[in-house]
C-alpha cells in the first residue's frame, strides 16, 4: 500500500450523497462506473429528475402568455426558478438573471448586445490566454466586425494569469474584460475579484465565464462586483439547455435585444417595435422551461446539502488525486496553479491522450481527452491534447485509486 495523506474532512458523507445520483450506481463494461468527467457535464440528482418529470406530467404549458390554469402554473414555476438563481448567486434582483441555453449563449448574448452598443473601431477587448473557445470566438468575431482589437492576458508555466501584464493592457480604449472564473482545461481559479476592481478603476466592465466555478464553490456576484456572469446548468447538476447570464441592471437596461421575436416586446407595428423590460427583453421565443425549472431544483439540491463542506471535500479530493498522479513516473500534470478547483489535466509520456481515454473506459472510468475547447492553452503547453479527470463532490478516494492504478497499467502496456 502506498502511503497517502489522510483526508481531513469527515463531515462529508459521500456515500449518502452518491445515493442521490442514480446514474452513479451503473456498471460500464462490466465495471462500476467511475465518473470523472464533471467539467464536461455533471450528473443529475433524483430530485431534479423528479422535478422535471412533475413539470412534464402536470404542468407542461407555455409561459407568460396564457390566462389558463396550466400556463399560469408553468409561469409561476419558471419565475420561481429565477428567484432561486437570484439567491444562489446573490443578484440584487431576479430580473438581472436571464435564462439562456448555457454559458455559450451567455457569452454570445453579451458580446453581441453589449458589443453592438458599446464597441467601435479602435476599441480593445481583453481576454485571457486560458479561455474556453466559447469565451474567445464571440469576442473575436465582434472585434473583426467592429475593427476593434483583442488583447490577451498571458499566463505563466503553472497556468496562472500574469496580473502585472493584465494591468498593463488596461487603457482608455478598453471596452470590456472577459475572463473565466475557473479554467476548464487547467483548473486554475483566477483572482477575479481583484481583477474586477482593477478594471473598474478604468471604468471598464468585467465579464466572467463561471461555467466551472458555480458547481464547485459558492459565488456572490455582488461581492465580486462583477458586471456580467454566465454559467451552464448541465455543469451544476441540472439538465442541458438550462443556464443563466447575470448582468447588472445598469448595463442590461442600456443594451439592445440579442434575439428578437415573441415574448420580448411591448408593442409591435410595421413602423416601430418597442421592447419589454429585462429579463423578457433578452428571452425571445419559448425558452427551455422544463430545463430551467430543473435548474431551480438543482439549486434547491445544493441548498439542501452543506455546499461549503462539499467544496472543502472536493478540494481535498483534488489534492489527493494530484499527489497520487504526480507520484507516477511518466505522468506530467498540466496546470499546477496554487489556486485550483476540480480539474486535473495530465499527459503520459509517449501515449496519446485519446488512447488513455479509451483504455480507461474499458475499466469503467470516464475521463475526457482532447484540447478541451482551449487550443491556445494546448499551444502554450506545447501538447496536442491532455487527458483530464474532473471531480465533483460525489467522487471518492477509491475512484482516484482506481484511476491511478489504471494509469499505471496504461504506462505498462505502452512501455
Ligand atoms: C463548458 C464551458 C463552456 C461552454 O459551456 P456550454 O455549456 O457548452 O455552453 C464555457 N466556458 C467554460 C470554462 C466551460 O467549462
Amino acid at each position: 500500500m502506498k502511503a497517502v495523506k489522510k483526508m481531513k474532512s469527515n463531515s462529508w458523507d459521500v456515500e449518502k450523497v452518491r445515493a442521490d445520483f442514480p446514474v452513479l450506481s451503473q456498471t460500464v463494461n462490466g465495471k462500476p462506473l467511475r465518473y470523472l468527467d464533471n467539467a464536461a457535464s455533471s450528473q443529475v440528482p433524483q430530485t431534479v429528475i423528479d422535478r422535471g418529470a412533475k413539470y412534464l406530467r402536470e404542468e407542461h404549458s407555455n409561459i407568460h402568455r396564457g390566462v389558463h390554469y396550466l400556463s399560469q402554473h408553468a409561469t409561476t414555476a419558471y419565475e420561481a426558478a429565477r428567484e432561486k438563481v437570484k439567491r444562489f448567486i446573490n443578484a440584487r434582483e431576479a430580473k438581472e438573471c436571464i435564462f439562456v441555453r448555457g454559458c455559450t449563449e451567455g457569452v454570445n448574448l453579451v458580446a453581441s448586445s453589449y458589443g453592438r452598443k458599446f464597441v467601435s473601431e479602435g476599441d480593445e477587448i481583453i481576454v485571457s490566454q486560458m479561455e474556453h473557445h466559447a469565451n474567445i470566438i464571440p469576442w473575436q468575431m465582434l472585434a473583426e466586425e467592429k475593427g476593434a482589437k483583442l488583447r490577451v492576458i498571458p499566463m505563466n508555466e503553472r497556468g496562472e494569469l500574469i496580473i502585472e501584464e493584465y494591468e498593463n493592457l488596461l487603457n482608455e480604449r478598453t471596452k470590456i474584460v472577459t475572463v473565466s472564473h475557473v479554467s476548464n482545461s487547467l483548473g486554475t481559479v483566477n483572482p477575479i475579484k481583484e481583477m474586477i476592481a482593477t478594471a473598474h478603476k478604468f471604468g471598464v466592465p468585467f465579464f466572467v465565464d463561471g461555467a466551472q466555478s458555480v458547481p464547485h464553490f459558492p459565488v456572490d456576484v455582488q461581492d465580486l462586483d462583477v458586471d456580467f456572469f454566465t454559467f451552464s446548468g448541465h455543469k451544476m447538476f441540472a439538465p442541458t439547455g438550462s443556464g443563466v447570464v447575470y448582468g447588472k441592471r445598469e448595463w442590461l437596461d442600456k443594451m439592445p435585444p440579442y434575439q428578437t421575436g415573441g415574448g420580448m416586446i411591448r408593442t409591435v407595428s410595421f413602423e416601430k417595435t418597442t421592447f419589454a423590460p429585462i429579463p423578457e427583453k433578452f428571452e425571445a421565443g419559448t425558452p427551455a422551461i422544463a430545463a430551467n425549472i430543473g435548474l431551480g431544483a438543482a439549486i434547491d439540491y445544493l441548498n439542501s446539502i452543506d455546499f461549503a463542506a462539499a467544496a472543502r471535500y472536493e478540494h481535498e479530493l483534488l489534492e489527493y488525486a494530484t499527489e497520487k498522479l504526480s507520484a507516477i513516473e511518466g505522468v506530467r500534470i498540466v496546470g499546477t496553479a496554487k489556486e485550483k478547483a476540480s480539474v486535473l489535466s495530465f499527459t503520459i509520456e509517449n501515449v496519446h491522450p485519446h488512447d488513455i481515454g479509451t483504455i480507461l473506459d474499458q475499466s469503467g472510468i470516464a475521463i475526457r481527452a482532447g484540447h478541451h475547447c482551449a487550443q491556445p492553452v494546448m499551444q502554450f503547453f506545447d501538447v496536442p491534447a491532455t487527458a483530464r479527470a474532473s471531480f465533483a463532490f460525489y467522487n471518492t478516494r477509491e475512484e482516484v485509486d482506481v484511476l491511478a492504478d489504471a494509469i499505471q497499467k496504461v504506462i505498462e502496456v505502452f512501455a
Side-chain angles (χ1 to χ4, degrees):
M1 278 261 297
K2 286 184 197 125
V4 290
K5 206 155 83 182
K6 248 192 127 218
M7 299 282 284
K8 278 164 278 170
S9 83
N10 35 28
S11 57
W12 187 246
D13 188 346
V14 68
E15 289 307 326
K16 181 164 174 285
V17 166
R18 286 180 72 78
D20 295 336
F21 291 79
V23 97
L24 296 177
S25 54
Q26 278 178 74
T27 53
V28 170
N29 296 325
K31 307 274 170 51
L33 170 66
R34 316 288 184 176
Y35 190 76
L36 301 175
D37 194 19
N38 294 286
S41 210
S42 57
Q43 295 301 342
V44 176
Q46 186 65 47
T47 51
V48 172
I49 299 168
D50 290 344
R51 187 63 191 88
K54 177 179 156 65
Y55 168 79
L56 294 172
R57 209 169 40 229
E58 300 169 15
E59 300 165 318
H60 176 68
S61 175
N62 212 326
I63 54 168
H64 292 154
R65 287 174 276 262
V67 291
H68 60 77
Y69 174 85
L70 274 189
S71 175
Q72 291 186 1
H73 216 70
T75 304
T76 304
Y78 187 73
E79 292 306 322
R82 199 190 306 277
E83 277 294 330
K84 289 171 190 180
V85 169
K86 172 209 174 251
R87 286 195 295 275
F88 180 61
I89 58 171
N90 193 31
R92 244 170 258 99
E93 333 169 35
K95 290 180 191 313
E96 294 178 311
C97 304
I98 298 156
F99 282 125
V100 287
R101 266 192 306 125
C103 185
T104 300
E105 191 176 39
V107 183
N108 276 280
L109 187 156
V110 176
S112 160
S113 168
Y114 174 90
R116 197 185 307 165
K117 179 90 182 242
F118 293 104
V119 177
S120 8
E121 194 174 346
D123 286 342
E124 296 181 356
I125 297 162
I126 299 181
V127 302
S128 96
Q129 196 171 13
M130 68 174 73
E131 296 313 303
H132 187 286
H133 296 163
N135 198 29
I136 300 174
I137 307 165
W139 304 108
Q140 195 170 42
M141 297 273 290
L142 170 67
E144 275 173 22
E145 221 173 277
K146 295 283 193 163
K149 202 167 153 194
L150 219 56
R151 312 286 312 266
V152 182
I153 311 166
M155 60 184 173
N156 64 25
E157 291 293 327
R158 292 186 300 277
E160 296 163 328
L161 294 179
I162 303 172
I163 298 303
E164 307 82 69
E165 300 274 353
Y166 160 59
E167 288 168 1
N168 290 336
L169 290 175
L170 279 160
N171 63 50
E172 66 287 350
R173 291 182 301 278
T174 312
K175 281 295 142 70
I176 194 161
V177 180
T178 179
V179 174
S180 53
H181 203 170
V182 176
S183 154
N184 71 304
S185 55
L186 300 168
T188 311
V189 182
N190 289 313
I192 58 164
K193 189 173 176 181
E194 294 73 24
M195 294 176 78
I196 290 166
T198 310
H200 286 170
K201 278 191 210 146
F202 288 80
V204 174
F206 203 105
F207 182 102
V208 169
D209 169 351
Q212 298 294 345
S213 63
V214 291
H216 302 292
F217 50 81
V219 168
D220 180 331
V221 292
Q222 287 192 70
D223 177 59
L224 292 170
D225 198 22
V226 66
D227 301 274
F228 303 99
F229 188 96
T230 190
F231 58 93
S232 295
H234 72 98
K235 296 183 181 185
M236 54 163 290
F237 320 106
T240 54
S242 63
V244 172
V245 61
Y246 157 85
K248 283 183 184 167
R249 174 185 275 282
E250 62 204 79
W251 288 114
L252 295 178
D253 277 345
K254 290 186 204 129
M255 285 158 48
Y258 167 52
Q259 296 178 329
T260 55
M264 50 78 70
I265 54 94
R266 202 190 306 266
T267 61
V268 177
S269 74
F270 286 108
E271 288 71 40
K272 173 95 187 139
T273 292
T274 57
F275 300 111
I278 61 167
E280 284 83 14
K281 181 169 79 175
F282 292 107
E283 293 184 4
T286 302
I289 303 167
N292 284 317
I293 290 174
L295 175 59
I299 291 170
D300 287 342
Y301 180 79
L302 291 175
N303 291 334
S304 78
I305 61 172
D306 182 347
F307 193 31
R312 279 194 302 279
Y313 167 83
E314 197 190 291
H315 194 73
E316 284 166 17
L317 193 65
L318 176 65
E319 286 185 342
Y320 176 71
T322 305
E323 211 174 297
K324 267 214 108 144
L325 264 59
S326 305
I328 302 173
E329 206 172 323
V331 171
R332 171 190 175 200
I333 308 284
V334 178
T336 49
K338 252 177 78 189
E339 301 292 335
K340 281 187 68 173
S342 173
V343 167
L344 191 53
S345 260
F346 61 95
T347 58
I348 300 176
E349 219 175 316
N350 302 324
V351 189
H352 194 280
H354 284 131
D355 292 332
I356 305 174
T358 307
I359 297 172
L360 295 193
D361 181 55
Q362 289 162 9
S363 307
I365 304 168
I367 61 153
R368 185 138 300 236
H371 54 61
H372 316 295
C373 298
Q375 286 184 0
V377 172
M378 301 300 119
Q379 288 151 16
F380 177 83
F381 286 99
D382 199 22
V383 291
T386 71
R388 179 187 73 186
S390 54
F391 305 99
F393 49 63
Y394 45 61
N395 289 123
T396 65
R397 273 206 292 179
E398 194 226 339
E399 289 177 315
V400 171
D401 294 341
V402 172
L403 172 71
D405 289 347
I407 289 172
Q408 192 70 59
K409 279 199 200 93
V410 170
I411 291 172
E412 283 157 19
V413 168
F414 279 84

